[in-house]
Amino acid sequence: NAGVTQTPKFRVLKTGQSMTLLCAQDMNHEYMYWYRQDPGMGLRLIHYSVGEGTTAKGEVPDGYNVSRLKKQNFLLGLESAAPSQTSVYFCASRKVMTGGLNTEAFFGQGTRLTVV
Amino acid sequence: DAKTTQPNSMESNEEEPVHLPCNHSTISGTDYIHWYRQLPSQGPEYVIHGLTSNVNNRMASLAIAEDRKSSTLILHRATLRDAAVYYCILTGSGGSNYKLTFGKGTLLTVNP
């Protein structure tokens, strides 16, 4: 069971460079999320998606873009990286609630991004 | 959105029970209470969730107050591997079911 896989696991960027983080899930989940976590902090929601082709802003969306062209993939893009975007990024997926049953989220192992 | 309040940190001894509290006084009638934990250098993992009744699984128990304004995650016998940050989260139902908002959680230290 692969679950939620994040690529890459580590990356160092120079200020102004761009990159895309890939999140892939093999559980056919409808909901997908991107979070960032800074030292000593909880997870803050960047963007989320409730289904293929739909995305929405979370708490801290500035400087990031996302796309969900396929149900199993959720991409997070940094168009012009800044040192303030140095963080650990986590992706999560979750099945939509059905039949009155609430569902749990599954998380990837994280991408550690450093912007210098 | 309903918020949760947790202590910043707690300490326990190995093989003793641990009771991690969470206050959610503004919880709505359809909000579920979820607990996740994050081990060092890992992504969060699901622990347990409930709506009104107490819940048990292989990892922990969840005790929910009758008025649902608070809950307690119970680890029956703490081990060193239980040292982690524990997050209490409310998730909506219906149209707001997708919401999954984390606070800062409780850092649990387990002493040998």
Side-chain angles (χ1 to χ4, degrees):
Chain A
N1 289 338
V4 178
T5 303
Q6 291 184 231
T7 310
K9 290 184 172 48
F10 303 93
R11 184 74 184 268
V12 178
L13 282 181
K14 293 183 178 179
T15 297
Q17 285 185 320
S18 64
M19 79 163 293
T20 300
L21 281 67
L22 171 63
C23 177
Q25 53 97 1
D26 61 0
M27 297 171 282
N28 203 35
H29 287 172
E30 290 80 10
Y31 300 155
M32 295 188 75
Y33 309 82
W34 275 108
Y35 294 88
R36 62 176 289 173
Q37 185 173 38
D38 301 308
M41 303 285 288
L43 281 76
R44 292 186 292 170
L45 183 63
I46 305 171
H47 286 279
Y48 63 94
S49 168
V50 298
E52 182 178 327
T54 69
T55 63
K57 295 180 180 180
E59 306 167 70
V60 289
D62 293 342
Y64 304 95
N65 57 74
V66 288
S67 65
R68 183 118 181 252
L69 298 179
K70 294 182 179 181
K71 187 176 184 180
Q72 63 267 33
N73 295 336
F74 195 27
L75 279 64
L76 177 70
L78 287 73
E79 289 188 349
S80 180
S84 61
Q85 294 176 304
T86 293
S87 190
V88 180
Y89 292 85
F90 290 101
C91 175
S93 74
R94 184 163 170 240
K95 186 173 179 56
V96 68
M97 175 176 167
T98 56
L101 297 177
N102 207 238
T103 58
E104 72 266 31
F106 294 81
F107 284 80
Q109 288 303 298
T111 295
R112 188 173 298 274
L113 176 66
T114 302
V115 183
V116 298
Chain B
D1 291 346
K3 301 292 185 185
T4 63
T5 304
Q6 299 177 252
N8 290 333
S9 61
M10 290 186 64
E11 230 175 290
S12 174
N13 296 319
E14 200 173 9
E15 297 190 1
E16 289 184 355
V18 181
H19 290 233
L20 296 163
C22 180
N23 288 321
H24 29 78
S25 59
T26 60
I27 190 171
S28 75
T30 55
D31 283 342
Y32 280 77
I33 303 157
H34 281 232
W35 283 82
Y36 289 80
R37 71 179 186 180
Q38 187 175 21
L39 302 173
S41 300
Q42 294 191 24
E45 64 175 348
Y46 167 80
V47 177
I48 200 166
H49 75 273
L51 182 61
T52 56
S53 303
N54 294 344
V55 184
N56 300 296
N57 67 21
R58 64 175 180 83
M59 290 181 71
S61 296
L62 176 60
I64 301 172
E66 196 169 337
D67 63 6
R68 299 206 333 121
K69 293 185 176 182
S70 66
S71 61
T72 302
L73 178 70
I74 302 167
L75 306 179
H76 296 285
R77 290 185 63 190
T79 69
L80 297 178
R81 289 177 295 177
D82 291 323
V85 178
Y86 287 79
Y87 298 98
C88 170
I89 298 163
L90 303 182
T91 69
S93 61
S96 63
N97 174 244
Y98 57 86
K99 291 183 179 178
L100 199 63
T101 303
F102 285 75
K104 293 185 179 180
T106 297
L107 175 63
L108 175 65
T109 301
V110 180
N111 301 314

